[in-house]
Amino acid sequence: MSNITKQDIIKKLSKKTGITYKETSEITTGIIDAISNGLLQNKMVKLSNFGTFILKEKAARVGRNPKTGVEAIISARKTVLFHASQTFKSEIN
């Protein structure tokens, strides 16, 4: 399995739409920034027929090092969750 990078997406969009690479790069960056800013404002970001991004706060908890078995505190943090839409799930399957 190989990775798809932001540059790969920009190249593909540029080729498909006929828009210059520079303009496509600005559009792609703008979309990513809009998603990031929405999450930073604690908003749910929904992309129709694709899915929903949600920012979730995880509480501090006790974890265990799998190699040594020593317990350690895992600090509270925020994480991004993605839930695929039914349309996207059906396309994958």
Side-chain angles (χ1 to χ4, degrees), residues 14-90:
S14 179
K15 186 175 181 181
K16 186 173 183 176
T17 62
I19 300 173
T20 67
Y21 182 87
K22 183 179 178 184
E23 290 174 323
T24 307
S25 177
E26 291 171 2
I27 292 167
T28 305
T29 300
I31 292 169
I32 293 169
D33 288 346
I35 293 169
S36 298
N37 290 335
L39 291 170
L40 290 171
Q41 295 172 10
N42 285 328
K43 294 182 180 178
M44 187 181 328
V45 179
K46 290 185 178 186
L47 301 176
S48 186
N49 297 324
F50 183 65
T52 304
F53 295 93
I54 303 167
L55 188 65
K56 181 178 180 184
E57 294 191 32
K58 291 190 170 187
R61 61 188 173 92
V62 176
R64 184 171 291 125
N65 182 325
K67 287 185 179 180
T68 64
V70 175
E71 289 187 351
I73 302 287
I74 299 172
S75 60
R77 64 188 193 275
K78 293 180 182 180
T79 187
V80 177
L81 299 177
F82 175 75
H83 296 286
S85 72
Q86 284 302 119
T87 305
F88 186 53
K89 286 180 184 178
S90 63

